[in-house]
Amino acid sequence: MKALILVGGFGTRLRPLTLTVPKPLIDLGNKPMILHQIEALKSIRVTEVILAINYQPEAMARFLKDYESKLGMKITCSQETEPLGTAGPLALAKDKLIDESGSPFFVLNSNVICEFPLEKMIKFHKAHGGEASIMVTKVDEPSKYGVVVMEETTGKVERFVEKPKTFVGNKINAGIYLLNPSVLDRIELRPTSIEREVFPKIAADRKLYAMVLIGFWMDIGEPRDYITGMGLYLDALRNKGSSKLSSGSHIRGNVLIDESVVIERGCVFGPDVAIGPECIVEEGVTLSRCTVMRGARINKHACISNCIIGWNNKVGQGACIEDMIILDDDVYGYDKIACNGRVPPS
Ligand code: GDD
């Protein structure tokens, strides 16, 4: 079985992080986003993953070189010369996606995190006998997603409305599809949207089915959702009894700390914190609802909440940072805070 992951787009909502690293390679819970997906695909015996890419291909190629052998899977790139949207990349990769057995293939949006119940989806797809299956989840604010109107009992989709202007329902496209090869006959090789041009037609032909996803789900394409998604992911680790979560008197709730992190005394971490490899956290630091990425150094008594601290940053002594500040590679926390007029005590 094969899978395609849509890894295009510029990730503008996660800038400045995405200026140096493509969005799918940004860590969530100390693991590149795309690895969560590739590992889930491997666990259900997918043998080949195609990354549909149009931005920063070199960084992705370096990643692939490392992980193809580590994971023992074939991972290739299908590179667009112009952004082909969410359907065009499937037409471009058509020859790679079709195999002799005529099996259906998975398509994943790269910025979604959940527990990837892909085995269940295969069963669902086989049982309904339609042409395409999509996973859906309920949200409070559906207007920024694709909304699916479906028959509750069978899952047959009546309408698919991308980013509706008025309320049509609260079950939304979770960005995970299982498609028969015949869907490729519906897609032209040009910039085109699977949500606006393909799914509505398959739904009109009564061949599109939706399966309600169990468990957590989040699109982590913007900072606030990234932090929420990380919290949900850590919570799922807790529910599975994962030994990766830290414990101790300095830990509050779910906290993930890479084993190479140096931690000085008097720190308090949590809830919902991930600290990546080779970080140094000095005495008396408080971290909550934040990610600290590889190589960052947090100086004494800094207090960080609701933030993404990018690679190799230094957050100055006593700095107090809160609410979605993203510091990229080589940006010094101290300077940034000083610019904001919140100079930390010396
Ligand atoms: N290869 C390639 N080329 N990939 C692309 C391109 C492109 O030109 N444009 C977007 N993508 C990828 C993105 O990287 C992402 O993985 C996926 O396609 C979806 O694109 P977004 O632009 O992030 O869409 P969205 O978040 O507004 O909405 C989509 O996701 C929602 C769930 O998170 C839609 O699929 C909605 O229907 C869905 O509810």
Side-chain angles (χ1 to χ4, degrees):
M1 213 173 180
K2 299 188 181 187
L4 179 140
I5 308 181
L6 289 160
V7 296
F10 300 105
T12 47
R13 291 166 295 178
L14 281 179
R15 280 183 183 166
L17 294 175
T18 44
L19 293 174
T20 43
V21 170
K23 186 172 58 177
L25 298 190
I26 290 175
D27 282 355
L28 183 118
N30 291 351
K31 185 192 288 190
M33 256 310 285
I34 200 160
L35 255 196
H36 292 272
Q37 308 190 322
I38 294 178
E39 287 178 359
L41 291 164
K42 183 181 162 66
S43 75
I44 53 141
R45 301 165 302 284
V46 165
T47 51
E48 181 173 353
V49 176
I50 299 141
L51 304 182
I53 188 165
N54 64 10
Y55 179 55
Q56 296 180 325
E58 305 80 17
M60 197 57 85
R62 280 196 299 276
F63 165 84
L64 288 184
K65 216 163 148 252
D66 280 357
Y67 279 95
E68 229 191 342
S69 53
K70 272 188 207 163
L71 292 169
M73 280 174 102
K74 188 168 176 193
I75 311 175
T76 56
C77 276
S78 170
Q79 195 180 336
E80 294 144 58
T81 47
E82 62 169 329
L84 290 176
T86 50
L90 276 68
L92 187 67
K94 187 173 184 172
D95 292 343
K96 290 179 175 222
L97 282 169
I98 293 180
D99 64 19
E100 323 73 61
S101 65
S103 315
F105 55 86
F106 280 101
V107 174
L108 271 62
N109 285 354
S110 59
N111 41 350
V112 298
I113 184 80
C114 63
E115 290 181 275
F116 299 104
L118 304 178
E119 197 82 66
K120 281 201 181 100
M121 196 173 193
I122 295 173
K123 283 195 187 119
F124 174 74
H125 188 76
K126 278 187 185 152
H128 67 62
E131 201 175 346
S133 301
I134 59 181
M135 246 184 235
V136 296
T137 185
K138 269 192 192 167
V139 294
D140 294 333
E141 178 36 74
S143 62
K144 60 178 181 174
Y145 302 105
V147 175
V148 170
V149 182
M150 58 194 262
E151 279 174 19
E152 291 300 321
T153 44
T154 59
K156 193 181 274 187
V157 176
E158 287 161 3
R159 286 170 72 205
F160 186 105
V161 191
E162 182 66 10
K163 316 241 161 51
K165 299 239 167 7
T166 55
F167 185 86
V168 285
N170 64 354
K171 289 207 187 71
I172 61 121
N173 169 22
I176 300 171
Y177 322 131
L178 186 55
L179 310 178
N180 283 357
S182 59
V183 171
L184 295 171
D185 300 334
R186 296 175 178 266
I187 304 172
E188 290 172 33
L189 183 52
R190 62 175 171 85
T192 168
S193 156
I194 200 162
E195 301 87 350
R196 294 181 194 277
E197 298 185 55
V198 182
F199 288 152
K201 288 187 185 146
I202 310 180
D205 291 345
R206 314 291 284 156
K207 291 181 176 170
L208 181 63
Y209 287 78
M211 174 187 137
V212 179
L213 187 150
I214 308 289
F216 82 98
W217 176 89
M218 189 52 71
D219 177 332
I220 54 94
E222 49 189 81
R224 191 172 296 278
D225 292 343
Y226 171 96
I227 299 279
T228 305
M230 184 192 61
L232 294 169
Y233 168 72
L234 295 182
D235 214 34
L237 285 186
R238 165 81 58 201
N239 292 340
K240 278 190 268 186
S242 169
S243 57
K244 290 183 193 159
L245 293 172
S246 301
S247 55
S249 57
H250 62 305
I251 302 294
R252 312 269 181 274
N254 299 327
V255 175
L256 193 63
I257 303 175
D258 186 86
E259 57 189 17
S260 61
V261 175
V262 175
I263 302 169
E264 294 184 0
R265 67 199 165 110
C267 294
V268 178
F269 302 147
D272 300 340
V273 168
I275 311 176
E278 294 151 35
C279 291
I280 299 175
V281 188
E282 294 183 359
E283 194 180 320
V285 165
T286 305
L287 304 175
S288 65
R289 280 178 63 78
C290 68
T291 283
V292 182
M293 292 188 180
R294 177 188 290 273
R297 183 177 190 120
I298 315 293
N299 286 356
K300 283 182 191 175
H301 304 293
C303 178
I304 304 174
S305 172
N306 278 324
C307 290
I308 304 171
I309 307 295
W311 312 273
N312 305 318
N313 259 277
K314 182 178 159 206
V315 174
Q317 181 172 336
C320 180
I321 321 179
E322 54 187 51
D323 287 336
M324 307 308 161
I325 294 175
I326 305 183
L327 303 176
D328 191 18
D329 226 344
D330 297 333
V331 178
Y332 286 82
Y334 188 93
D335 299 343
K336 192 143 186 159
I337 294 155
C339 292
N340 288 348
R342 298 163 74 184
V343 185
S346 52

